Structure formats: C-alpha cells, structure tokens
Amino acid sequence: MNIGFIGLGIMGKPMAKNLIKAGHKLTVFDIVQENVDALKAEGAAAAASPKEVAEQNNLIITMLPNSPHVKAVILGENGVIEGAAKGATIIDMSSIAPLASQEIAKACAKKGVKMLDAPVSGGEPKAIDGTLSIMVGGDEENFNEVKGVLAAMGASVVLCGAIGAGNTTKLANQVIVALNIAAVSEAFMLSTRAGVDPIKVFHAIKGGLAGSTVMNAKIPLIIEGNFKPGFKVDLHMKDLANALETGHEVGAPLPLTAQAMEMLQYLHSHGAGQDDHCAIAKYYEALAGREIRSI
Ligand code: NAD
C-alpha cells in the first residue's frame, strides 16, 4: 500500500522502517532533514510538505510531539488537509489531548477525510521490534480497513472506542506509569534510608503484589543512577498536562497526577527535562538528601 508518514523522530523513524519492511511504499516528511535522509536510505520517497504527502497517498500517518504540532501539520498552511482526497484516512499515532483529536477529526470530516487516533505504548525498543501496544479511537469500519497496517508496527492493536478514545486510553496509561515510578521511588528511598539494600528489596518483592512492569524496568536503572532516556521527563509532563486538562474537562479529579506533575516540574526546572522519567527518583533523592544505591 502507498502510505505517507510525517514525523520521523525517536518513534516515527523505526515505525516507518517497519512499514517498509512489511512491503509498503512510503512517502515521508519531517522538518529535520537528517531524519528524512535516514528513511530515504531505506527506500522511502521524500515530499516537500504535509500537503504533498497527502496528494500522493490515501493513507497518511502522523507521529508528532503534541496537539499543536498535529493541528499545524494536518490543518495548517500546506497541511495534510489541503492535499488529501475525499475518502483518504489520517491515522494520528502521536500522544495528544483526546479533545484535540476530536477537534481535528471534525475539521477533517468536513472535507470527507477520515481520522483515527492511535497512540502507542512501549517506547523506542518496541517501536524498533514492531511490538508496540497500539490503542485506537475511531470508526470501526475505518479501523478494520487499516488494522493490518497498524499490525506491522505493533504486537497488539485494540479499538478502544470513538475518536479520542485511543488518546484517553494512553492518558490512563501515562497516569499509571508516572504514579508507579513515584511509588517505587518513595518506597526504595525508605528502605535505603533504613539501611536495607534496595537491590535485595527489589528481588524480595518483585514477585508479590507490589511487583510491576514499571518496577522491573525502572528500579535497576535507578539503583545504577542511569537516567539516560528512554522516555523523557518533558514528554511525560506533556502527557500529564493533557491528563489534567482532560480530567478538568470531564469532571474526573486527579489528585495524585497533580502531585506527580509537580515532581516532573521540579525535575524540569532543575535541568533534568531530557532525563528518563525514572528521574522522579532524583526528586526523592533531593528530599531525603541521599541517593538510592546498593548498600
Ligand atoms: P521526537 O521528538 O523524537 O519526534 C518528533 C518528530 O516530529 C521529530 O522528528 C520532529 O522533527 C518532527 N516534527 C515536529 N514538528 C513537525 C512538523 N511541524 N512537521 C513535520 N515534522 C515535525 O518524539 P518521539 O519520542 O518520536 O514521540 C512522538 C510521539 O510519540 C509523542 O507524542 C510521544 O509522547 C509519543 N511516544 C513516545 C514514546 C517514547 O518512548 N519516545 C513512547 C510512546 C509514545
């Protein structure tokens, strides 16, 4: 199938590569030439604008940082909507505010262009392996038409509901991940301060009820003091800001999310915005005046 792909960063680049591997013909666009060149080297064609991508393809995928970028690329000057034919489909795989997905889809529908929101979880390693978890919002018939394309990038592809439901699901995911990192940081600071080796605590409790995918992935890094991203503090702040905004709009109080947001804000203000989100542990280290390390 001919597919347009816009946004070739940490996630978009390997996802686009997996579509080429699956036999699709790609036309790509990014504002960073180096990212475009990486895809050209894999056999993709380059377009000069999102409009040109849409003129050449009936299926256009976007993988951009946040709502304003997606709005600009789809609805802005030289945007996808200016080039898209009636009946074309846009799949936005960025993690953005669900209400923004709904607004963009509404504007697209006026021109007969269909849209799905399909954010992902799993990070760069799973984007490379093609084993992302993909959570989709939109029309079921439209979903069934493109499910095969999404399956080339993910191990699980689930339709969660109408447009915006994919991003609502992703926000729930991001709330759980942030609060889990904060919970394990708090608990492991307790054991460290009390003089019990955090690595022993980890091995003792990881198989019980307190065990989690987040703890398995992040505690070994925290104990090493390895905060190389991964998923950056600044991107997680963006997700929690979207979660809080959405919570306010729909009437869901998010007291713990608000606290986690302030922890991330502290890290951002202290120059750790580009660290991995497990740097939430650094916030606890600053409070307690010592690091979480093996004793
Ligand atoms: P990134 O910053 O690495 O990539 C974004 C890309 O979009 C860049 O290549 C940038 O040049 C491009 N871009 C920005 N504005 C553009 C424009 N106007 N036109 C064309 N290209 C433009 O970000 P990423 O880590 O790939 O994340 C993308 C999305 O996926 C985000 O919403 C993020 O929250 C989400 N996500 C990221 C991860 C992760 O681990 N990195 C995991 C799951 C979901």
Side-chain angles (χ1 to χ4, degrees), residues 136-239:
V136 189
D139 173 69
E140 187 166 4
E141 196 184 321
N142 197 201
F143 169 73
N144 287 332
E145 283 163 10
V146 300
K147 197 176 169 190
V149 171
L150 293 173
M153 297 178 277
S156 111
V157 184
V158 177
L159 180 65
C160 302
I163 184 76
N167 273 307
T168 300
T169 307
K170 174 69 182 179
L171 290 183
N173 183 85
Q174 294 306 82
V175 165
I176 292 167
V177 171
L179 297 186
N180 251 276
I181 297 175
V184 297
S185 300
E186 191 163 308
F188 280 78
M189 178 52 78
L190 172 68
S191 77
T192 306
R193 262 274 171 220
V196 182
D197 193 333
I199 200 73
K200 298 236 168 76
V201 175
F202 173 54
H203 289 304
I205 69 174
K206 68 180 179 190
L209 193 54
S212 67
T213 310
V214 167
M215 186 161 80
N216 289 344
K218 300 301 182 185
I219 276 299
L221 298 176
I222 290 171
I223 292 173
E224 275 172 29
N226 177 358
F227 301 109
K228 201 168 129 282
F231 188 72
K232 291 173 188 161
V233 163
D234 282 349
L235 274 183
H236 214 140
M237 273 181 79
K238 176 263 300 182
D239 289 334

Side-chain angles (χ1 to χ4, degrees), residues 11-83:
M11 298 296 285
K13 197 181 298 169
M15 288 161 69
K17 283 185 185 175
N18 281 329
L19 290 174
I20 294 174
K21 267 192 219 149
H24 299 293
K25 208 165 157 278
L26 258 64
T27 310
V28 299
F29 176 75
D30 195 291
I31 46 174
V32 176
Q33 188 56 38
E34 198 187 320
N35 294 350
V36 173
D37 291 343
L39 262 294
K40 277 170 78 179
E42 303 282 325
S49 65
K51 178 183 175 188
E52 200 178 297
V53 169
E55 281 166 353
Q56 296 171 17
N57 297 278
N58 265 331
L59 178 61
I60 304 107
I61 296 176
T62 48
M63 190 53 169
L64 299 157
N66 198 6
S67 315
H69 309 85
V70 178
K71 276 188 188 165
V73 162
I74 296 180
L75 304 177
E77 199 185 334
N78 275 322
V80 169
I81 200 69
E82 288 185 13

Side-chain angles (χ1 to χ4, degrees), residues 76-137:
E77 199 185 334
N78 275 322
V80 169
I81 200 69
E82 288 185 13
K86 203 168 172 215
T89 295
I90 299 168
I91 310 176
D92 177 38
M93 301 191 74
S94 328
S95 303
I96 70 170
L99 292 169
S101 299
Q102 289 163 0
E103 265 174 51
I104 299 166
K106 214 169 172 184
C108 289
K110 282 189 188 144
K111 301 221 167 178
V113 174
K114 299 175 274 186
M115 181 171 152
L116 298 164
D117 63 315
V120 307
S121 162
E124 190 184 20
K126 293 198 172 194
I128 293 170
D129 294 348
T131 57
L132 292 165
S133 298
I134 307 179
M135 31 213 130
V136 189

